Amino acid sequence: MRVWGVERRRQEFAEFYRSSRDDCLRIVLVSVGDRQLAEDLVAEAFTRAWMSWRKVREHPAPRAWVVRTALNTHVSWWRRRRREMTVEGRTALTLLNGTQPERSADLGLDEVLAAAVRALPPRQREVITLRVFFDLDTDATAKLLGISPGTVGAHLHRALATLRTLTQSFSDQEVTR
Amino acid sequence: MNDDDMLAAMRSSLTSVKDSLTDVHMDRPPETITARARARRLRRGLPGAGAAGLALGIGLALTLSGHPAGSGGPPAARTVHVNLAAWSVNTTPAGQVNVTIRELKDPARLSKTLADAGVPVMLTSGRVCDTGYQAQLSRVVQKLGGSGDVVLVINPAAMPPRTKLVIGIGTARMGSEHFLAAAFTLIKDGSPLACPGGAKTRAR
């Protein structure tokens, strides 16, 4: 019965949504640093997931699909917002609780790294997010992002080089202050 | 430190940050997600209707008073989840009101729905006046990006007593692209929406 099939898919999606939403929201929040924005991005990504549920339910990593979609949406919204010049930009060092440290030295290493990830170019940030939070290997990351494994490796290497420099300077600062 | 070590360190740090966000929850029920998808499908199924409706709605330069709020503060709020093809209004357990406007259709119902959600409003078209509440305004309404839609988070509790939120809806143009834009202000309940000296805030 078609109705039964639709209802079953709806229940299946609702179950997926309930079990994944908080985790996806927290991952996107770490990546974008703005609670309201993260919530809207994740809602948009789940909306698209439901609209393509037959494809997403067969995906090997549906949560990663949602997070990648949310971050892609962020890219396009950010570009639009940059044109409009209407929304106050938040600095990369804004903490996740909405406060801003007076100095970068007031942050712990974990927060420094999270802020640095938010400052990465979008594609590098996506690669880091998928590799770190979902433990996807290079091939799986490439497939999800629709790019070649070599390109994933290049983005990862550049991102880690940037983060390594930051970690080093943070360690030096810790030693000298 | 090679890439593998660095990646392991990143995994440890970022997972710690994520795991510390225990008070961060996605409050929207699954029904709002599926309703949003359904509205989008409906919209796509009516080619041309959206753009025509929007142009007509804004061309009429409508000014619609919201639900009467009486002489006190904002009306008592209740849980509201209304998701139409043109707009959505959803209250959250934290007392905020999430609003997405995709098309300016049925503004009278939008005003009433917002009033039911605890937000007395006046909907108008285009720009609105600066009425001296700019400091409070940033605590009342936050505008988010939204794929060409107007996406707002409203905090009714932050509205000064006996005020209404004025939402001016219009279109902005960037090159050949047109998209919805919104401007906001607060006015004393019962006051006319007049702009002394023609001073207006910029639509955004």
Side-chain angles (χ1 to χ4, degrees):
Chain A
M1 289 262 305
R2 176 174 160 75
V3 173
W4 183 81
V6 169
E7 189 52 38
R8 189 187 59 177
R9 278 200 298 277
R10 190 185 301 280
Q11 287 173 4
E12 200 177 66
F13 172 78
E15 195 175 313
F16 167 67
Y17 175 74
R18 287 194 188 96
S19 65
S20 311
R21 58 184 173 182
D22 287 351
D23 205 43
C24 289
L25 176 61
R26 291 166 190 167
I27 290 170
V28 172
L29 177 55
V30 171
S31 297
V32 304
D34 182 311
R35 169 68 194 273
Q36 287 298 335
L37 177 61
E39 190 167 331
D40 227 54
L41 292 172
V42 171
E44 173 66 20
F46 273 111
T47 302
R48 294 185 192 185
W50 171 236
M51 293 177 81
S52 305
W53 183 237
R54 287 183 188 185
K55 181 182 80 176
V56 176
R57 69 194 289 270
E58 301 296 334
H59 196 280
R63 287 187 189 199
W65 188 97
V66 168
V67 168
R68 188 267 293 167
T69 301
L71 294 181
N72 271 347
T73 306
H74 181 232
V75 172
S76 60
W77 286 4
W78 183 80
R79 284 179 183 151
R80 186 186 300 277
R81 292 203 296 175
R82 182 174 56 175
R83 283 203 309 270
E84 287 183 58
M85 303 276 289
T86 57
V87 178
E88 313 77 36
R90 296 198 173 196
T91 70
L93 288 177
T94 300
L95 297 177
L96 295 178
N97 62 9
T99 62
Q100 285 191 327
E102 290 184 11
R103 300 170 300 147
S104 60
D106 294 337
L107 293 165
L109 177 60
D110 291 347
E111 276 289 355
V112 166
L113 284 172
V117 167
R118 295 196 285 277
L120 288 173
R123 195 59 107 181
Q124 290 182 25
R125 189 175 53 197
E126 284 179 343
V127 168
I128 285 284
T129 300
L130 296 173
R131 292 296 302 266
V132 164
F133 288 115
F134 297 100
D135 206 15
L136 298 186
D137 62 19
T138 301
D139 288 345
T141 304
K143 196 171 178 184
L144 185 57
L145 294 178
I147 57 180
S148 73
T151 307
V152 168
H155 282 310
L156 183 64
H157 182 71
R158 285 185 202 131
L160 292 176
T162 304
L163 298 169
R164 189 181 293 114
T165 306
L166 195 93
T167 311
Q168 186 60 48
S169 68
F170 182 86
S171 301
D172 292 346
Q173 192 179 42
E174 286 285 284
V175 171
T176 54
R177 74 178 168 146
Chain B
M1 191 184 282
N2 62 29
D3 277 3
D4 287 341
D5 294 337
M6 188 65 205
L7 192 58
M10 286 300 302
R11 185 169 289 123
S12 170
S13 283
L14 294 183
T15 303
S16 294
V17 172
K18 187 199 82 169
D19 291 346
S20 70
L21 302 172
T22 50
D23 59 334
V24 173
H25 299 285
M26 186 87 178
D27 296 323
R28 303 179 199 193
E31 292 75 23
T32 65
I33 301 292
T34 52
R36 184 172 167 166
R38 187 168 57 245
R40 196 167 299 174
R41 284 196 193 101
L42 279 172
R43 192 156 43 129
R44 285 178 183 170
L46 297 171
L54 176 64
L56 181 63
I58 291 178
L60 287 173
L62 64 155
T63 299
L64 299 167
S65 178
H67 192 69
S71 57
R78 61 181 175 83
T79 300
V80 170
H81 293 290
V82 178
N83 293 280
L84 307 180
W87 46 261
S88 307
V89 176
N90 290 285
T91 52
T92 71
Q96 291 181 319
V97 182
N98 296 325
V99 181
T100 300
I101 303 173
R102 291 168 285 269
E103 298 171 30
L104 192 57
K105 279 185 174 176
D106 203 352
R109 186 175 174 192
L110 176 57
S111 294
K112 183 180 183 314
T113 304
L114 283 167
D116 289 345
V119 185
V121 296
M122 177 183 289
L123 290 178
T124 182
S125 64
R127 297 178 178 183
V128 298
C129 309
D130 181 351
T131 53
Y133 283 106
Q134 292 308 306
Q136 294 95 322
L137 193 60
S138 62
R139 291 192 290 271
V140 172
V141 62
Q142 183 185 4
K143 180 175 178 281
L144 306 176
S147 299
D149 304 334
V150 171
V151 183
L152 312 174
V153 179
I154 300 171
N155 179 10
M159 291 180 68
R162 291 178 292 281
T163 58
K164 277 185 179 174
L165 176 65
V166 180
I167 304 177
I169 303 287
T171 53
R173 190 176 66 182
M174 180 63 65
S176 60
E177 279 188 67
H178 293 257
F179 45 88
L180 274 183
F184 313 97
T185 194
L186 291 162
I187 59 168
K188 285 193 188 304
D189 195 22
S191 299
L193 185 62
C195 297
K200 295 178 177 181
T201 61
R202 282 183 60 81
R204 57 179 187 142

